[in-house]
Amino acid sequence: MDRDSTGTLFRAAVDGETAAWKSLVEGLSPLVWSVVRAHGLRDADAQEVYQTTWFRLAQNLARIREPDRVGAWLASTARNECVKVIRTARRVSPSDDPEVFDRAADGRTPEQAVVDAEEASMERERMRAMWQAFQELGENCRRLLRLLMASPPVSYQEVSATLGIAVGSIGPIRQRCLRRLRVLLTERGFR
């Protein structure tokens, strides 16, 4: 979905055209989902953020000054909503369920629990290193790679419209970004 058609659909949606609103949602949903999924939220939280993002757009229709940039507005709003959910999830929830503290409840031996914990720790360390390397990439690389990892996949035309780069530049830029990510991971000892 290019910027011009996004702006046209947005203006029509603001004027009350239901079909325009539906087309806008269908066209920009992959973008919103890509941002939400990039934050690794649980399914229920991801659904909530997706819905909240669209609700925020509906609340702010009259405040959008650049209708052709509504995709960027949605991406930013989705990112902010994800951060809110992540911050809320960090709070500890007390429990009076004794099984929460009962190690034997999961059926593993103490030895297996230690091995599993070590493997999980190593996997978390690999993921932490990967995300640290990812964060060292430039903002443009991070945004491009997030969009290209979206599920369902986002078309190059949508990526082009969202990031404001030519369709023919996406592949070469992606290659440079991934090459840089590999170098950063190699520097951290991952191959």
Side-chain angles (χ1 to χ4, degrees), residues 7 24 40 43 51 64 68 74 83 92 104 106 125 133 144 157:
L24 192 66
D43 287 342
Q51 291 173 4
I64 306 292
D68 58 330
L74 283 165
V83 170
V92 177
D106 63 10
E125 185 57 36
L144 175 67
Q157 288 76 19

mmCIF file of all heavy atoms in Angstrom, residues 7 24 40 43 51 64 68 74 83 92 104 106 125 133 144 157:
data_model
loop_
_atom_site.group_PDB
_atom_site.id
_atom_site.type_symbol
_atom_site.label_atom_id
_atom_site.label_comp_id
_atom_site.label_asym_id
_atom_site.label_seq_id
_atom_site.Cartn_x
_atom_site.Cartn_y
_atom_site.Cartn_z
ATOM 1 N N GLY A 7 -3.115 7.705 2.151
ATOM 2 C CA GLY A 7 -3.674 9.014 2.474
ATOM 3 C C GLY A 7 -5.087 9.184 1.954
ATOM 4 O O GLY A 7 -5.969 9.707 2.657
ATOM 5 N N LEU A 24 -8.274 0.258 4.529
ATOM 6 C CA LEU A 24 -7.140 0.781 5.294
ATOM 7 C C LEU A 24 -6.665 -0.262 6.306
ATOM 8 O O LEU A 24 -5.462 -0.531 6.417
ATOM 9 C CB LEU A 24 -7.556 2.069 6.002
ATOM 10 C CG LEU A 24 -6.458 2.917 6.623
ATOM 11 C CD1 LEU A 24 -5.556 3.478 5.539
ATOM 12 C CD2 LEU A 24 -7.068 4.059 7.419
ATOM 13 N N GLY A 40 7.796 -9.735 20.648
ATOM 14 C CA GLY A 40 7.739 -11.047 21.284
ATOM 15 C C GLY A 40 6.678 -11.209 22.361
ATOM 16 O O GLY A 40 6.897 -11.920 23.332
ATOM 17 N N ASP A 43 0.490 -14.390 22.744
ATOM 18 C CA ASP A 43 -0.592 -14.225 21.765
ATOM 19 C C ASP A 43 -1.701 -13.304 22.263
ATOM 20 O O ASP A 43 -2.156 -12.427 21.533
ATOM 21 C CB ASP A 43 -1.184 -15.589 21.389
ATOM 22 C CG ASP A 43 -0.251 -16.391 20.496
ATOM 23 O OD1 ASP A 43 0.667 -15.792 19.905
ATOM 24 O OD2 ASP A 43 -0.446 -17.615 20.392
ATOM 25 N N GLN A 51 -5.443 -4.661 18.613
ATOM 26 C CA GLN A 51 -6.750 -4.016 18.698
ATOM 27 C C GLN A 51 -6.647 -2.604 19.276
ATOM 28 O O GLN A 51 -7.311 -1.666 18.804
ATOM 29 C CB GLN A 51 -7.699 -4.862 19.537
ATOM 30 C CG GLN A 51 -8.074 -6.159 18.862
ATOM 31 C CD GLN A 51 -8.879 -7.069 19.760
ATOM 32 O OE1 GLN A 51 -9.234 -6.706 20.876
ATOM 33 N NE2 GLN A 51 -9.179 -8.261 19.269
ATOM 34 N N ILE A 64 -4.767 13.439 13.143
ATOM 35 C CA ILE A 64 -3.722 13.036 12.201
ATOM 36 C C ILE A 64 -3.543 14.159 11.178
ATOM 37 O O ILE A 64 -4.456 14.469 10.416
ATOM 38 C CB ILE A 64 -4.087 11.706 11.491
ATOM 39 C CG1 ILE A 64 -4.396 10.609 12.515
ATOM 40 C CG2 ILE A 64 -2.986 11.293 10.527
ATOM 41 C CD1 ILE A 64 -3.239 10.146 13.335
ATOM 42 N N ASP A 68 -1.049 10.684 4.688
ATOM 43 C CA ASP A 68 -0.232 9.749 3.912
ATOM 44 C C ASP A 68 0.816 9.048 4.779
ATOM 45 O O ASP A 68 1.438 8.083 4.354
ATOM 46 C CB ASP A 68 0.435 10.464 2.734
ATOM 47 C CG ASP A 68 1.303 11.628 3.160
ATOM 48 O OD1 ASP A 68 0.995 12.257 4.190
ATOM 49 O OD2 ASP A 68 2.289 11.917 2.461
ATOM 50 N N LEU A 74 0.714 4.383 12.881
ATOM 51 C CA LEU A 74 0.279 3.096 13.425
ATOM 52 C C LEU A 74 1.467 2.311 13.979
ATOM 53 O O LEU A 74 1.374 1.708 15.054
ATOM 54 C CB LEU A 74 -0.435 2.274 12.349
ATOM 55 C CG LEU A 74 -1.864 2.686 12.041
ATOM 56 C CD1 LEU A 74 -2.322 2.049 10.737
ATOM 57 C CD2 LEU A 74 -2.792 2.305 13.180
ATOM 58 N N VAL A 83 5.387 -1.566 24.439
ATOM 59 C CA VAL A 83 6.219 -1.186 25.583
ATOM 60 C C VAL A 83 5.383 -1.133 26.857
ATOM 61 O O VAL A 83 5.820 -1.590 27.923
ATOM 62 C CB VAL A 83 6.941 0.151 25.317
ATOM 63 C CG1 VAL A 83 7.609 0.678 26.567
ATOM 64 C CG2 VAL A 83 7.960 -0.021 24.196
ATOM 65 N N VAL A 92 5.559 -8.436 39.279
ATOM 66 C CA VAL A 92 5.398 -9.778 39.816
ATOM 67 C C VAL A 92 3.961 -9.975 40.276
ATOM 68 O O VAL A 92 3.386 -9.114 40.930
ATOM 69 C CB VAL A 92 6.373 -10.001 40.998
ATOM 70 C CG1 VAL A 92 6.169 -11.362 41.616
ATOM 71 C CG2 VAL A 92 7.798 -9.821 40.529
ATOM 72 N N ALA A 104 8.571 -30.642 42.248
ATOM 73 C CA ALA A 104 8.212 -31.999 41.849
ATOM 74 C C ALA A 104 6.949 -32.023 40.994
ATOM 75 O O ALA A 104 6.663 -33.018 40.339
ATOM 76 C CB ALA A 104 8.024 -32.867 43.078
ATOM 77 N N ASP A 106 6.314 -30.762 38.192
ATOM 78 C CA ASP A 106 6.499 -30.903 36.754
ATOM 79 C C ASP A 106 7.040 -32.277 36.353
ATOM 80 O O ASP A 106 7.220 -32.546 35.174
ATOM 81 C CB ASP A 106 7.397 -29.784 36.202
ATOM 82 C CG ASP A 106 8.809 -29.809 36.763
ATOM 83 O OD1 ASP A 106 9.180 -30.778 37.438
ATOM 84 O OD2 ASP A 106 9.543 -28.843 36.496
ATOM 85 N N GLU A 125 21.000 -16.581 26.635
ATOM 86 C CA GLU A 125 22.229 -15.837 26.365
ATOM 87 C C GLU A 125 22.431 -15.657 24.860
ATOM 88 O O GLU A 125 22.811 -14.575 24.404
ATOM 89 C CB GLU A 125 23.437 -16.551 26.976
ATOM 90 C CG GLU A 125 24.736 -15.784 26.851
ATOM 91 C CD GLU A 125 24.685 -14.386 27.456
ATOM 92 O OE1 GLU A 125 24.027 -14.189 28.492
ATOM 93 O OE2 GLU A 125 25.304 -13.473 26.876
ATOM 94 N N ALA A 133 23.142 -7.443 19.349
ATOM 95 C CA ALA A 133 23.730 -7.157 18.039
ATOM 96 C C ALA A 133 22.711 -6.452 17.148
ATOM 97 O O ALA A 133 23.029 -5.482 16.456
ATOM 98 C CB ALA A 133 24.220 -8.452 17.381
ATOM 99 N N LEU A 144 13.771 -2.033 8.766
ATOM 100 C CA LEU A 144 13.640 -2.843 7.560
ATOM 101 C C LEU A 144 13.558 -4.327 7.904
ATOM 102 O O LEU A 144 12.669 -5.039 7.424
ATOM 103 C CB LEU A 144 14.816 -2.586 6.611
ATOM 104 C CG LEU A 144 14.844 -3.465 5.356
ATOM 105 C CD1 LEU A 144 13.664 -3.131 4.451
ATOM 106 C CD2 LEU A 144 16.158 -3.299 4.614
ATOM 107 N N GLN A 157 6.317 -3.522 -1.768
ATOM 108 C CA GLN A 157 5.631 -2.250 -1.984
ATOM 109 C C GLN A 157 5.232 -1.633 -0.644
ATOM 110 O O GLN A 157 5.358 -0.422 -0.443
ATOM 111 C CB GLN A 157 4.386 -2.438 -2.869
ATOM 112 C CG GLN A 157 4.694 -2.721 -4.323
ATOM 113 C CD GLN A 157 5.165 -4.162 -4.572
ATOM 114 O OE1 GLN A 157 4.958 -5.053 -3.761
ATOM 115 N NE2 GLN A 157 5.833 -4.365 -5.696
#
